[in-house]
Amino acid sequence: MTLALLFPGQGSQSVGMGAALADAFPSAREVFAEVDDALGQKLSMLMREGPEDQLTLTENAQPALMAVSLAAIRALGAEFGVDVSRAGFVAGHSLGEYSALAAAGALSIGDTARLLKLRGQAMQRAVPVGQGAMASLIGPKTDLALAEAAAVAGAEVGVCVVANDNNAGNIVISGEKGAVDRAIEKAKELGARAIPLNVSAPFHCPLMQPAADEMAVALADAKIVAPLVPVVANVTARPESDPEAIRRLLVEQVTGRVRWRESMEWLATEGAVTRFAEVGSGKVLTGMAKRIAPDVESMPLNTPEDLEAFAKGL
């Protein structure tokens, strides 16, 4: 069996996430305390109690989602003797790539929390609220070719690109609001449904270049070591273990496309993965995995019961 551990991205957050892990495992509580200390913020209290609008803020959601994922990883090791090295690969969706790197030991938890806090703030600063937009193109006719055609139509008005190639039937576009509105019209003409997303900024598009510049400075000073297992990078959909390449790819990721479908296809074929386990809050990536690689077993790991069953099944 070849295992790949997957780490969720923004949108998987919810009030109360991680509480069951903290209540059950001292090792999980240690992770939440480390993140609180690194940020000088009671993020764990915000995660447990809300309010939801504060947790949803990009600068809070990003480190919070990482904290839940790493609490689950720490508990797997401390309570059940399952180390990340049991996996063949790790991968994370957008901010989840940072969680994957921390889980694989390439980044410390404290540094990861601080980098994600800055990443969220920098992304918010990059584009004034209301000037950017994102939309999800969904439905059986939605594939990359349709999404690219819609983005091209939008680009006649302003910046508009494919931001997240999640899976067939679920592709996200991002850019200037007027351009995304035009792309939505084109997508509907081509037979897709289009849903504007309630996001605070247009992620993974060229408008994020100021945020990429900020992250380049921060990542230049970050200590990154070779991960215990290869990390499949969002922007290349291929495994990477070289610290300097990881540093460069994390900068490119801010403006670049999240090639999740390609990443999962590579893991299921070239990587010969037979089991996907989504570590952290929610089940979004588990659902995507089942659509992209239906022959590969997929499961979420976000409750104490999930961790116990997973460990027993290895």
Side-chain angles (χ1 to χ4, degrees), residues 41-52:
Q41 175 188 3
K42 277 290 184 183
L43 187 63
S44 59
M45 185 178 295
L46 177 61
M47 291 158 58
R48 183 181 282 266
E49 300 177 2
E52 185 175 4

Side-chain angles (χ1 to χ4, degrees), residues 169-228:
N170 177 4
I171 301 175
V172 177
I173 56 174
S174 179
E176 294 177 84
K177 188 177 186 311
V180 170
D181 289 344
R182 175 67 188 95
I184 288 173
E185 293 173 11
K186 183 65 175 179
K188 289 178 178 176
E189 290 172 15
L190 295 172
R193 290 174 56 206
I195 301 174
L197 298 180
N198 183 21
V199 293
S200 57
F203 305 129
H204 299 291
C205 82
L207 297 175
M208 287 287 109
Q209 188 58 49
D213 294 341
E214 284 196 58
M215 292 309 297
V217 173
L219 285 161
D221 293 332
K223 182 182 179 183
I224 302 177
V225 300
L228 294 170

Side-chain angles (χ1 to χ4, degrees), residues 25-314:
F25 306 125
S27 53
R29 293 196 292 276
E30 289 171 6
V31 170
F32 294 129
E34 283 181 47
V35 171
D36 285 353
D37 289 346
L39 299 179
Q41 175 188 3
K42 277 290 184 183
L43 187 63
S44 59
M45 185 178 295
L46 177 61
M47 291 158 58
R48 183 181 282 266
E49 300 177 2
E52 185 175 4
D53 63 335
Q54 291 298 306
L55 179 61
T56 302
L57 289 175
T58 301
E59 66 175 85
N60 291 327
Q62 295 199 22
L65 284 162
M66 181 277 298
V68 177
S69 291
L70 270 292
I73 286 291
R74 183 79 64 86
L76 269 176
E79 316 296 335
F80 302 105
V82 178
D83 187 75
V84 171
S85 61
R86 296 284 291 274
F89 304 94
V90 294
H93 192 283
S94 190
L95 82 88
E97 190 166 335
Y98 284 80
S99 306
L101 287 162
L107 283 165
S108 73
I109 289 177
D111 283 350
T112 307
R114 286 185 287 268
L115 285 167
L116 285 174
K117 184 79 171 179
L118 173 63
R119 185 176 182 267
Q121 292 170 336
M123 286 177 152
Q124 193 60 69
R125 281 192 290 264
V127 180
V129 174
Q131 291 189 12
M134 299 181 76
S136 182
L137 309 184
I138 59 175
K141 292 186 177 180
T142 301
D143 58 12
L144 186 57
L146 182 150
E148 292 277 21
V152 167
E156 295 173 2
V157 178
V159 173
C160 185
V161 299
V162 173
N164 298 3
D165 180 9
N166 289 327
N167 58 257
N170 177 4
I171 301 175
V172 177
I173 56 174
S174 179
E176 294 177 84
K177 188 177 186 311
V180 170
D181 289 344
R182 175 67 188 95
I184 288 173
E185 293 173 11
K186 183 65 175 179
K188 289 178 178 176
E189 290 172 15
L190 295 172
R193 290 174 56 206
I195 301 174
L197 298 180
N198 183 21
V199 293
S200 57
F203 305 129
H204 299 291
C205 82
L207 297 175
M208 287 287 109
Q209 188 58 49
D213 294 341
E214 284 196 58
M215 292 309 297
V217 173
L219 285 161
D221 293 332
K223 182 182 179 183
I224 302 177
V225 300
L228 294 170
V229 296
V231 179
V232 176
N234 283 186
V235 297
T236 62
R238 293 295 183 272
E240 188 55 70
S241 294
D242 177 68
E244 292 312 308
I246 289 169
R247 198 184 309 272
R248 172 177 53 80
L249 291 168
L250 287 176
V251 176
E252 292 180 14
Q253 190 223 57
V254 178
T255 57
R257 181 181 302 177
V258 176
R259 298 180 181 273
W260 193 251
R261 175 185 55 82
E262 294 174 61
S263 297
M264 298 294 286
E265 288 174 348
W266 186 92
L267 285 164
T269 54
E270 300 298 315
V273 167
T274 54
R275 180 183 287 183
F276 291 121
E278 179 179 5
V279 188
S281 180
K283 303 177 182 180
V284 171
L285 299 185
T286 301
M288 289 183 191
K290 289 177 178 177
R291 288 187 284 274
I292 297 167
D295 295 334
V296 179
E297 183 183 5
S298 303
M299 68 198 71
L301 300 181
N302 55 27
T303 68
E305 294 76 19
D306 290 341
L307 300 191
E308 184 176 6
F310 175 71
K312 287 180 177 177
L314 285 178

